[in-house]
Amino acid sequence: MGFLSPLRRDEAPPGYVTPPFPSLFWEPSNTRWNLYYLKDIWRFTLLWTLILFGLFHLGAAGTALLMQVGRRKSNWKFLWTVPLLYALVAGMEAILAGSVVGLVVGATYIAGHFNMSTWIPFVWGWVNVLVLIVSSFRISGGL
């Protein structure tokens, strides 16, 4: 059994084809837009996490660059590396978070015999981003 074996909770409907990414349709009664295979659940979650982490990290890099406007010209010599470093960090974080969450959520849905809409990986991508944002703040007690 491979790492991403074709583990599934039930048989997919006859003629089932994995929906193309992103496939954010809202038809709860239509099983055509459900994900049945762990590999597909993991892939959708990973892609959404990569996209959302990339957007938020590049937004932070843009903010860092805008804060340097009006400063000395010598500051801009190496500032072009800031978006590259932020994108690299975002990619590494997203691969780790998206893979772990995608596999855990996928295994949970398969074990529980739940239907997995294509919206669920999108929502978990946002959960990953919100956890990243909240964890970026320092928490101090006031005792």
Side-chain angles (χ1 to χ4, degrees):
M1 185 178 287
F3 175 64
L4 290 176
S5 63
L7 180 65
R8 53 186 179 191
R9 58 167 182 78
D10 288 328
E11 290 294 321
Y16 171 78
V17 177
T18 302
F21 183 80
S23 294
L24 292 178
F25 299 104
W26 189 252
E27 299 175 20
S29 62
N30 189 350
T31 59
R32 179 177 163 197
W33 305 116
N34 286 345
L35 301 172
Y36 288 92
Y37 302 107
L38 183 60
K39 183 177 181 180
D40 297 330
I41 295 169
W42 168 77
R43 184 174 59 92
F44 271 60
T45 306
L46 178 66
L47 290 175
W48 277 119
T49 305
L50 277 167
I51 291 168
L52 294 172
F53 270 46
L55 289 174
F56 275 78
H57 277 77
L58 290 177
T63 303
L65 291 175
L66 285 176
M67 293 177 73
Q68 297 301 319
V69 172
R71 303 274 173 111
R72 295 183 314 200
K73 297 280 185 192
S74 62
N75 288 352
W76 289 90
K77 186 174 183 179
F78 297 107
L79 282 178
W80 63 271
T81 62
V82 171
L84 296 176
L85 290 173
Y86 273 58
L88 179 68
V89 169
M92 291 188 308
E93 289 176 343
I95 288 172
L96 181 65
S99 292
V100 170
V101 170
L103 291 172
V104 169
V105 170
T108 304
Y109 268 73
I110 289 169
H113 299 285
F114 297 118
N115 289 330
M116 167 81 69
S117 167
T118 53
W119 279 87
I120 301 300
F122 175 70
V123 170
W124 277 101
W126 277 104
V127 169
N128 282 333
V129 167
L130 294 176
V131 166
L132 179 74
I133 292 171
V134 168
S135 66
S136 69
F137 292 104
R138 183 171 52 123
I139 300 173
S140 59
L143 293 179

